[in-house]
């Protein structure tokens, strides 16, 4: 079941986002699960450190979260698989360029580009993440892409490409 928490996973850290995540957590009265320290606004509730959780637990944390905030391609993919309310952050960091292309391509192909937030627009976090996602339409697009991929692979295997 849902923990009602916010899963915040930044691959390389995004200090420009931390304040916005904290503010959102306070407004929503939600626990934060993150690598970053000091994001929780309630002195008697500490955020859950997810720095060293094994992959199966990491997936469970996403699955059970109410919201996902991430700059990770894989956390974005699992947010979609588990039908979460999420945002994908595009950081200005030099490490973000490769991830940026994959995340932008994925979200655009599924009609979810409004879930992209550039770190310079982090103030939009609460407005974007709380909007509902039409996962029925997303599932239709995913199913089409799966079928397209299988057809491509079958043709490649029999030398028809």
């Amino acid at each position: 079941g849902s923990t009602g928490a916010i899963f915040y996973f930044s691959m390389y850290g995004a200090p420009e986002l931390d304040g916005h995540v904290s503010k959102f957590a306070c407004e929503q009265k939600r626990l934060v699960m993150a690598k970053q320290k000091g994001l929780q606004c309630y002195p008697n509730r500490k955020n859950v450190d997810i720095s060293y959780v094994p992959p199966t637990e990491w997936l469970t944390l996403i699955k059970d979260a109410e919201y996902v905030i991430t700059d990770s391609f894989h956390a974005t993919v699992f947010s979609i698989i588990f039908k979460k309310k999420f945002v994908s952050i595009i950081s200005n960091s030099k490490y973000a360029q490769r991830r940026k292309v994959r995340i932008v391509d994925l979200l655009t192909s599924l009609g979810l580009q409004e879930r992209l937030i550039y770190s310079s627009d982090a103030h939009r976090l609460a407005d974007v993440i709380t909007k509902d996602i039409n996962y029925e339409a997303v599932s239709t697009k995913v199913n089409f892409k799966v079928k397209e991929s299988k057809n491509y692979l079958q043709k490649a295997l029999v030398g028809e490409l």
Side-chain angles (χ1 to χ4, degrees), residues 57-73:
E57 187 178 337
W58 190 83
L59 289 173
T60 301
L61 291 171
I62 293 174
K63 185 175 185 250
D64 291 346
E66 184 76 19
Y67 299 102
V68 177
I69 301 166
T70 188
D71 63 1
S72 155
F73 175 77

Side-chain angles (χ1 to χ4, degrees), residues 2-15:
S2 177
T3 59
I6 297 167
F7 181 86
Y8 174 38
F9 183 76
S10 177
M11 294 283 294
Y12 300 102

Side-chain angles (χ1 to χ4, degrees), residues 20-146:
H20 296 285
V21 173
S22 248
K23 180 179 178 210
F24 180 66
C26 292
E27 289 168 355
Q28 296 288 317
K29 296 181 173 53
R30 306 269 180 188
L31 185 68
V32 178
M33 298 178 290
K35 292 191 311 184
Q36 294 79 353
K37 307 284 187 249
L39 295 176
Q40 195 60 40
C41 58
Y42 303 106
N44 59 337
R45 295 173 68 197
K46 293 191 186 321
N47 58 300
V48 177
D49 185 348
I50 60 168
S51 299
Y52 304 104
V53 297
T56 52
E57 187 178 337
W58 190 83
L59 289 173
T60 301
L61 291 171
I62 293 174
K63 185 175 185 250
D64 291 346
E66 184 76 19
Y67 299 102
V68 177
I69 301 166
T70 188
D71 63 1
S72 155
F73 175 77
H74 291 95
T76 299
V77 168
F78 286 109
S79 296
I80 295 166
I81 289 170
F82 296 135
K83 299 180 174 159
K84 296 290 146 187
K85 288 186 176 180
F86 74 96
V87 292
S88 291
I89 305 298
I90 303 298
S91 170
N92 296 327
S93 113
K94 63 182 179 180
Y95 303 107
Q97 292 317 302
R98 199 181 79 170
R99 287 192 322 277
K100 172 184 171 182
V101 171
R102 294 192 309 167
I103 292 171
V104 170
D105 286 352
L106 172 69
L107 295 181
T108 301
S109 72
L110 297 178
L112 293 171
Q113 59 273 22
E114 75 277 0
R115 306 314 274 192
L116 282 169
I117 296 184
Y118 288 83
S119 53
S120 56
D121 290 330
H123 62 277
R124 296 179 45 240
L125 173 70
D127 292 336
V128 174
I129 201 168
T130 54
K131 287 184 181 164
D132 288 331
I133 296 172
N134 181 352
Y135 273 112
E136 194 173 307
V138 172
S139 292
T140 300
K141 289 176 183 167
V142 168
N143 292 337
F144 177 78
K145 292 201 167 294
V146 167

